[in-house]
Amino acid sequence: STIKDIEIITNPSAKFDAEGTSGVINIITKKSKLEGISCLANLSAGTFNNYLGDIAVNVKKEKFSIDISGNINRRSGPRNSYVERTSVYDSLTNTLISDGESNWQRRNLGAGLEFQYTPNESHILVVKSNINSTLMDPYSDYVYTSSDDGVIVDEFNTNQHNYINILGSTSNLYYQHNIKRNKDHKISFKAIANLRDVTQFDTTLSYDESGNITSGNLYTETGPSNSYRFNIDYSLPLKNEKKFEAGLQSQFGKSGDIGKNYTYNTTTAEFDYNDLFSSNVDYVRDIHAAYSMFSGKHKSIGYQIGLRAEYTYRTITSSKFTDFATINRLDFFPSA
């Protein structure tokens, strides 16, 4: 009910990132003049321990508004599976049966805070931050039976447990100055920080028919994935419905993964570190861009031309592999 219009831009102008391939969705909301306190809450529950809830509180005065939100979401989908696979050879028929259960469990917690201040028609300030925690705990437990021509030759059990914990936050700062209180003649600044940290443990164990562990593997992966973006945009209206736009943008991205592999030792009943399948990887990707556009209208025909320049720097380093190509180039992207 707060949406006024939705624009689908299938051929974005030079103002937008060149790496996009699908287009841009621009959601235009209605201007609300209502003041006071409002609250919206939702709650639902289902079988197999499924539930979700969220709440949003808005406080709006003449010159400022505050939005506070929170949500909790738990998903669980247990499944029983029975698979029979038959392989026919020249003089042998092998049948492999797997029977067991699995579940992909997921829990999500989130909270957000937004503050918007509009002292007059010349200034708009928006500060927003969200934090989100996701915990995934899937597992599978299957019993395998292998038979040759109807005679059981092998029977074993395999279970797999995963633990994936993702903690992320997004913070935004936006300021717009309408020059001489003209909404078409403006300059704006935007800063975005996306921070993410992941911890993952994957354990796979195989058992014989007596319940003894015959083999196992443990893989752990930890590391952050952070990115920062800064934008400055300027818009100047000209005579006869013409307009000039220009802007600058910088993106800084860095992520790292520390992957460690362990093999189960049946003699010591412990996991031994396996350096062969372990590695540390760092990924850096920075993009700096500038654009300018000119648009206008001649009778019933509208037109727009623009040019975007992007400098890209990307490098990858790994403890196990060093022959990565570094990207260090300048590209130009015209639009019309």
Side-chain angles (χ1 to χ4, degrees):
S1 61
T2 63
I3 296 177
K4 178 182 178 181
D5 197 10
I6 298 178
E7 297 178 344
I8 308 298
I9 307 173
T10 57
N11 185 23
S13 66
K15 180 178 181 179
F16 300 98
D17 296 3
E19 63 184 357
T21 58
S22 302
V24 175
I25 299 177
N26 185 30
I27 300 176
I28 304 172
T29 57
K30 299 176 182 178
K31 184 177 181 180
S32 176
K33 297 183 179 180
L34 298 176
E35 295 186 2
I37 301 176
S38 62
C39 177
L40 176 65
N42 297 285
L43 181 65
S44 66
T47 56
F48 302 110
N49 201 23
N50 283 279
Y51 57 84
L52 66 88
D54 60 76
I55 184 170
V57 179
N58 173 263
V59 180
K60 184 176 179 62
K61 297 295 182 181
E62 182 179 355
K63 296 182 179 181
F64 74 89
S65 66
I66 299 175
D67 289 279
I68 303 173
S69 62
N71 66 83
I72 181 172
N73 188 347
R74 181 179 176 85
R75 285 285 180 260
S76 177
R79 183 180 67 173
N80 293 321
S81 174
Y82 178 88
V83 178
E84 182 175 331
R85 186 181 67 184
T86 301
S87 302
V88 179
Y89 303 95
D90 292 338
S91 59
L92 178 69
T93 299
N94 175 265
T95 303
L96 180 65
I97 298 175
S98 65
D99 187 11
E101 63 177 15
S102 64
N103 192 355
W104 186 276
Q105 303 173 116
R106 179 188 182 101
R107 185 220 66 196
N108 182 271
L109 297 172
L113 176 64
E114 178 178 344
F115 174 77
Q116 179 171 327
Y117 179 57
T118 310
N120 50 52
E121 295 183 357
S122 295
H123 305 280
I124 300 174
L125 175 66
V126 181
V127 180
K128 182 178 180 180
S129 184
N130 291 288
I131 186 169
N132 190 75
S133 174
T134 301
L135 175 62
M136 290 178 281
D137 187 22
Y139 74 88
S140 62
D141 191 354
Y142 291 100
V143 176
Y144 293 86
T145 303
S146 180
S147 303
D148 289 341
D149 293 331
V151 179
I152 298 177
V153 295
D154 193 14
E155 191 171 15
F156 60 94
N157 171 267
T158 298
N159 65 48
Q160 180 176 353
H161 289 264
N162 304 84
Y163 174 87
I164 307 170
N165 190 6
I166 304 173
L167 180 63
S169 67
T170 300
S171 299
N172 298 266
L173 172 64
Y174 178 80
Y175 171 73
Q176 177 178 312
H177 174 55
N178 299 326
I179 301 173
K180 295 183 179 180
R181 301 196 175 188
N182 183 355
K183 295 182 179 179
D184 295 323
H185 189 195
K186 59 188 177 182
I187 185 170
S188 62
F189 170 78
K190 179 168 60 177
I192 303 175
N194 291 311
L195 308 178
R196 187 181 183 188
D197 193 69
V198 180
T199 302
Q200 181 171 342
F201 298 88
D202 300 330
T203 306
T204 303
L205 296 174
S206 296
Y207 302 83
D208 58 20
E209 56 185 4
S210 300
N212 300 314
I213 299 177
T214 57
S215 64
N217 184 265
L218 168 64
Y219 182 77
T220 67
E221 184 175 352
T222 59
S225 178
N226 303 327
S227 64
Y228 306 88
R229 178 195 292 254
F230 304 93
N231 288 73
I232 297 178
D233 298 287
Y234 174 71
S235 178
L236 173 65
L238 303 172
K239 295 182 180 180
N240 301 323
E241 297 187 60
K242 295 180 175 62
K243 182 170 65 173
F244 172 77
E245 295 178 82
L248 300 171
Q249 175 182 292
S250 287
Q251 297 182 62
F252 303 91
K254 184 176 182 179
S255 62
D257 287 312
I258 301 175
K260 296 182 178 181
N261 190 279
Y262 301 86
T263 303
Y264 186 79
N265 190 323
T266 55
T267 303
T268 63
E270 294 181 352
F271 284 97
D272 296 334
Y273 178 68
N274 189 341
D275 183 69
L276 181 63
F277 297 103
S278 304
S279 66
N280 300 340
V281 179
D282 289 309
Y283 177 83
V284 176
R285 181 171 176 265
D286 300 336
I287 299 178
H288 306 285
Y291 76 90
S292 63
M293 295 195 309
F294 181 81
S295 60
K297 189 175 183 180
H298 179 71
K299 295 183 179 180
S300 60
I301 298 177
Y303 59 89
Q304 177 178 270
I305 57 173
L307 178 64
R308 183 180 184 89
E310 286 191 356
Y311 167 73
T312 303
Y313 175 77
R314 191 208 71 182
T315 180
I316 305 173
T317 57
S318 171
S319 60
K320 287 298 173 62
F321 188 74
T322 58
D323 191 18
F324 288 104
T326 297
I327 295 178
N328 189 357
R329 68 169 186 251
L330 179 65
D331 297 303
F332 295 93
F333 304 94
S335 67

